[in-house]
Amino acid sequence: MINEKLEEAFNDQINKELYSEYLYYAMKVYFQELNLQGFVNWFDVQVQEERAHAVGMIDYLNSRGGKVDLRAIEKPVIEGKTPLEVFEHVLRHEEFVTLRINYVADVAEEVRDRAAINFLDWYIKEQVEEEANVGGVLATLRLIGEDKKALLMLDKDLAARTFTAPVIG
Ligand code: OFO
């Protein structure tokens, strides 16, 4: 069985992971409208990753005898009008998710659930990677500025990103 407060923290985080998937889907559509297919691919991978993060938590909560409560997913709102501003939003969002994952881990520690602490370690490491990955694209976008040719070169690079289903936990 799992502690009730921890169960609630997991359910809230599952909702946030599903929201992340939805937000990145909205961003994927934004780049589809700009016909920047490499960026579209980058967000498509992001969407799949977020779904995997949510499923990982759903399966875990279930395996621990917790009650999975799937809640309404908020309408995604993109903050920003340019590719640079959209990536600034992605970084802010990932930093927020990192805080929330840390909160779930704090609750696991508070209720002394060692198995959950161990499970959440994967997410803590993943957030470091997520922020670094987004930060890399953001740094390049800042260098690019208004240079359209350079933006197209970055678009080509982002087309190479692939999704590998993560082994969570
Ligand atoms: Fe699930 O890591 Fe991004 O949000």
Side-chain angles (χ1 to χ4, degrees):
M1 268 314 274
I2 199 158
N3 171 280
E4 232 175 74
K5 185 173 177 184
L6 185 55
E7 181 187 75
E8 169 56 30
F10 266 112
N11 275 315
D12 183 64
Q13 190 57 35
I14 287 164
N15 183 265
K16 292 199 165 38
E17 298 295 338
L18 291 171
Y19 175 77
S20 300
E21 179 189 4
Y22 210 23
L23 176 66
Y24 295 145
Y25 211 106
M27 291 175 176
K28 175 181 160 176
V29 170
Y30 163 90
F31 283 103
Q32 276 174 332
E33 286 165 4
L34 292 179
N35 197 28
L36 287 169
Q37 297 304 330
F39 281 87
V40 170
N41 174 65
W42 193 93
F43 277 97
D44 190 47
V45 172
Q46 202 70 6
V47 162
Q48 294 179 75
E49 286 197 350
E50 297 305 344
R51 169 57 62 101
H53 297 167
V55 170
M57 284 195 181
I58 290 168
D59 290 350
Y60 182 73
L61 188 52
N62 199 267
S63 75
R64 292 289 310 276
K67 175 99 186 96
V68 174
D69 181 28
L70 294 178
R71 299 166 180 177
I73 304 166
E74 226 179 281
K75 176 182 166 63
V77 178
I78 302 174
E79 294 161 11
K81 297 219 177 323
T82 65
L84 173 64
E85 287 167 354
V86 170
F87 266 83
E88 283 170 341
H89 183 188
V90 176
L91 185 59
R92 275 198 304 282
H93 182 70
E94 285 304 327
E95 287 169 347
F96 166 71
V97 170
T98 298
L99 286 178
R100 297 309 304 175
I101 295 276
N102 288 346
Y103 168 74
V104 185
D106 285 348
V107 176
E109 273 176 9
E110 189 189 314
V111 303
R112 297 167 158 257
D113 188 326
R114 294 207 169 278
I117 294 166
N118 187 39
F119 172 77
L120 287 162
D121 257 357
W122 184 89
Y123 284 85
I124 289 166
K125 285 187 204 124
E126 174 72 0
Q127 281 311 118
V128 174
E129 259 183 48
E130 291 266 278
E131 285 187 29
N133 194 0
V134 176
V137 180
L138 192 51
T140 309
L141 280 168
R142 285 192 177 125
L143 277 177
I144 285 173
E146 297 299 311
D147 185 342
K148 293 266 185 292
K149 258 195 199 155
L151 183 67
L152 289 175
M153 276 169 66
L154 173 61
D155 188 58
K156 266 208 175 135
D157 287 352
L158 298 184
R161 189 183 187 198
T162 55
F163 174 69
T164 312
V167 181
I168 299 177

